[in-house]
Amino acid sequence: MLTLADTGFEAPAALLARYGLALHRVGDGEAIPGSYWGECEAGIIGTQVYARDDTPVHSLLHEACHLIVLPPERRAQVHTDATDSIEEEDAVCVLQALLGDALPGVGRERVLADMDGWGYTFRLGSASAYFHDDAALAWDWLHERGLADRDTRRVVLPG
């Protein structure tokens, strides 16, 4: 499982800042504010994303994507749980893999593998199979909101 100790905080913080989000480093062993899953999993409160060195990169990206897919006026209301619908959750799973490509040494395939290692479940058996073969509605959802290009299968980064 790739963690922020492996990648550092600088590149993820810069990526999140492009979306108007701030990444906060939490001390080792401290509780992560806004963490839905607890332990080392990332947390979200408003436009703030919280993580420790032992936070998996896929967790950081997943939680940040919950904020990224929301209109800015709704972000301020988020504390810990941001999912509004199954469609949104599906889109977040695709977007987190795409954002892996924007982080040096990470990439979408590593994010997808770590999602499987964590225990995400998809009807085709893996996150990669979902991403490549079963996520048409999620691709459409992201494309309609200007977050990804469904034809090139690439993220659309702001600014």
Side-chain angles (χ1 to χ4, degrees):
M1 192 78 48
L2 192 67
T3 68
L4 289 168
D6 301 313
T7 64
F9 277 70
E10 187 175 323
L15 175 62
L16 298 189
R18 295 181 77 167
Y19 291 96
L21 306 177
L23 176 58
H24 298 275
R25 188 180 209 152
V26 177
D28 292 343
E30 292 181 25
I32 298 176
S35 178
Y36 183 82
W37 296 103
E39 298 183 20
C40 62
E41 302 298 324
I44 51 175
I45 300 173
T47 59
Q48 312 304 302
V49 182
Y50 298 88
R52 297 189 311 223
D53 285 346
D54 63 342
T55 298
V57 173
H58 77 84
S59 173
L60 170 76
L61 294 175
H62 186 88
E63 297 306 324
C65 285
H66 274 298
L67 297 175
I68 290 168
V69 302
L70 290 176
E73 64 274 7
R74 288 204 30 232
R75 291 178 183 177
Q77 302 165 5
V78 172
H79 193 299
T80 308
D81 187 8
T83 300
D84 232 11
S85 66
I86 290 172
E87 293 80 12
E88 185 178 291
E89 183 69 32
D90 291 346
V92 162
C93 288
V94 170
L95 185 58
Q96 78 183 84
L98 290 175
L99 289 183
D101 288 343
L103 295 176
V106 180
R108 67 179 66 178
E109 294 305 324
R110 179 57 191 259
V111 171
L112 294 167
D114 284 356
M115 289 168 69
D116 289 336
W118 188 88
Y120 287 70
T121 57
F122 298 93
R123 65 180 166 209
L124 294 185
S126 73
S128 183
Y130 170 73
F131 180 90
H132 294 292
D133 302 319
D134 194 34
L137 294 176
W139 284 104
D140 289 346
W141 196 97
L142 292 167
H143 186 85
E144 290 165 6
R145 287 156 180 82
L147 296 168
D149 185 309
R150 72 175 153 236
D151 298 324
T152 64
R153 301 279 172 121
R154 299 277 177 222
V155 69
V156 177
L157 292 170

